[in-house]
């Protein structure tokens, strides 16, 4: 079951990634916003799409909106700060250790952060936001 829901999560994540990263890079490089503002805005909009698509298709959940949306927001916020902080610190350390040019640290850190975010977000949604007790049967999706 883990593999099946994770594959659906990844497929829906492609949509979220296209939306989130497009907005993040637009904010960062075109609008000139700070790293944290850019990643926050991109992830916020991607998260809205993620909530509705994952609730219905990935986890087939009947969890009430108020409770699940609150848990979702907590998972998203914690995943966001943990993942993008780790991504930024990791890339910064690698660049310094290898004496690489520092011009694209934030752009590369966004990609590392997105990978960490995906893993943390999936685990949080699966076990905290849309746990098995709210799973709906296959007929209720029709």
């Amino acid at each position: 079951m883990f593999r099946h829901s994770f594959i659906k999560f990844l497929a829906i994540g492609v949509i979220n990634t296209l939306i989130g990263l497009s907005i993040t890079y637009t904010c960062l490089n075109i609008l000139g916003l700070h790293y944290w503002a850019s990643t926050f805005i991109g992830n916020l909009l991607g998260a809205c799409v993620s909530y509705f698509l994952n609730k219905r298709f990935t986890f087939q959940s009947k969890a009430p909106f108020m409770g699940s949306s609150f848990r979702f927001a907590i998972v998203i916020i914690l995943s966001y700060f943990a993942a993008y902080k780790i991504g930024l610190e990791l890339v910064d350390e690698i660049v310094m250790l290898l004496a690489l040019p520092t011009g694209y640290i934030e752009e590369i850190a966004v990609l590392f952060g997105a990978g960490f975010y995906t893993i943390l977000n999936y685990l949080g949604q699966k076990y905290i936001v849309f746990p098995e007790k709210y799973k709906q049967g296959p007929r209720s999706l029709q």
Side-chain angles (χ1 to χ4, degrees), residues 32-73:
L33 298 180
H34 188 270
Y35 173 82
W36 287 108
S38 299
T39 57
F40 183 80
I41 292 167
N43 278 284
L44 178 65
L45 295 174
C48 291
V49 173
S50 175
Y51 173 83
F52 291 105
L53 293 179
N54 281 310
K55 180 177 183 180
R56 178 167 172 100
F57 298 110
T58 303
F59 302 110
Q60 301 169 352
S61 178
K62 293 188 295 185
F65 177 77
M66 290 303 291
S68 64
S69 61
F70 177 75
R71 291 188 306 272
F72 182 84

Side-chain angles (χ1 to χ4, degrees), residues 73-89:
I74 297 299
V75 165
I76 292 295
I77 290 167
L78 293 176
S79 297
Y80 165 75
F81 282 112
Y84 284 94
K85 177 68 173 168
I86 290 168
L88 187 57
E89 294 295 322

Side-chain angles (χ1 to χ4, degrees), residues 6 9-10 17 21 35 43 75-92 94 108-124:
F6 190 65
F9 185 83
L10 290 177
T17 299
L21 286 178
Y35 173 82
N43 278 284
V75 165
I76 292 295
I77 290 167
L78 293 176
S79 297
Y80 165 75
F81 282 112
Y84 284 94
K85 177 68 173 168
I86 290 168
L88 187 57
E89 294 295 322
L90 181 64
V91 171
D92 194 42
I94 291 170
I108 296 167
V110 167
L111 294 175
F112 275 82
F116 294 136
Y117 177 82
T118 298
I119 294 165
L120 293 174
N121 186 22
Y122 172 76
L123 294 172

